[in-house]
Amino acid sequence: MLTTDFVTGAPCWLDLGSPNTEGAADFYRDVFGWEFRSAGEEAGGYGFFQVDGKNVAALGPLTEEGASSAWTVYFRTPDADATAKSAEQGGGTVRVAPFDAMEAGRMGCLTDPAGAEFAVWQPAAVQGLEKVTDQGSLCWAELHTGDPTAAKAFYRGLFGWRSEDVKVPGMTYTVLSTAAGEDQQKASFGGVVPLHEPAEKPHWLPYFEVPDVDQVVARTEGNGGSVLMPAADAPDIGRMAWLADPYGAPFAVIKSVTPPVEPAPSAG
């Protein structure tokens, strides 16, 4: 389970790059009830989505030339530079070399060998998100890729992730867990699935816990978003849907069978 006790390899931050930050802030406020707080003039339009005053995600303008609106998942690392070097050695690409994000931490933007974009975070003043797994926050991170076996090997080389293949109707689903934690199931934070359409590009898909998936789907459509996969029940997992905001950024929502609990406080 994802918690705010972020260990190496765990998803620890999430931000949205959008061509219209004001419009995106309005959309997610109406869909999830998130409030947006600017990080200040020096942050170049970057700011934080909050629930009950706690950061659950972030938002900023697109900064990479030719980039499409998308959510970026950040994974915890003790050394962003070393992880970037390992990514290149493993066949990945460094899109943005590691740099200091003021006093908050050090980050780098990477792409895996199949083309899925992600980022790494070496914490300093900011450990990561302040609320996860609870309602209205990140609860799962899922990699959609054309070669799950190669993907597992690449990320295992970066973060030491453990994996377990589970047979589900029509495919094999891989559950990912951090290297730390005696109980592999409790250390799980995400999964790997094969691409569903030939034209689909590899990507990381964030899941947000919600109390009512169908209401969120309706609010998404009512505020200019779209439905990529209609709401459906997954036995013993929950009810989920894949959506996209008005600017094309995909995300998913789920009402888990096991109700979310308040995450453990961060060790930092």
Side-chain angles (χ1 to χ4, degrees), residues 16-200:
L16 171 66
S18 179
N20 185 340
T21 53
E22 183 176 350
D26 290 343
F27 171 81
Y28 288 98
R29 179 197 61 215
D30 294 339
V31 170
F32 290 136
W34 290 349
E35 296 297 327
F36 179 73
R37 180 175 66 84
S38 171
E41 294 183 4
E42 70 280 3
Y46 197 82
F48 310 107
F49 285 122
Q50 297 185 328
V51 172
D52 299 328
K54 295 183 177 181
N55 294 336
V56 296
L59 167 67
L62 292 173
T63 56
E64 296 180 48
E65 185 176 352
S68 300
S69 184
W71 284 98
T72 298
V73 180
Y74 290 63
F75 299 99
R76 171 77 169 258
T77 176
D79 189 329
D81 296 87
T83 302
K85 183 177 181 180
S86 294
E88 286 187 309
Q89 293 173 338
T93 303
V94 177
R95 301 193 322 278
V96 180
F99 65 94
D100 291 327
M102 296 180 280
E103 296 80 22
R106 190 166 177 81
M107 62 169 284
C109 300
L110 312 177
T111 304
D112 72 19
E117 298 181 351
F118 65 104
V120 292
W121 181 252
Q122 177 184 335
V126 175
Q127 295 298 306
L129 299 174
E130 296 171 336
K131 183 187 286 284
V132 297
T133 303
D134 204 358
Q135 299 290 356
S137 65
L138 180 70
C139 64
W140 196 251
E142 191 171 78
L143 175 62
H144 294 223
T145 186
D147 190 342
T149 299
K152 286 185 288 185
F154 172 77
Y155 287 100
R156 184 169 58 248
L158 290 189
F159 303 117
W161 288 348
R162 294 171 288 178
S163 62
E164 180 181 4
D165 291 339
V166 180
K167 292 292 184 180
V168 298
M171 68 172 182
T172 298
Y173 191 94
T174 298
V175 177
L176 299 171
S177 304
T178 58
E182 293 183 8
D183 189 322
Q184 185 170 338
Q185 184 175 359
K186 288 184 178 180
S188 65
F189 64 84
V192 182
V193 296
L195 295 176
H196 290 260
E197 301 291 340
E200 185 183 6

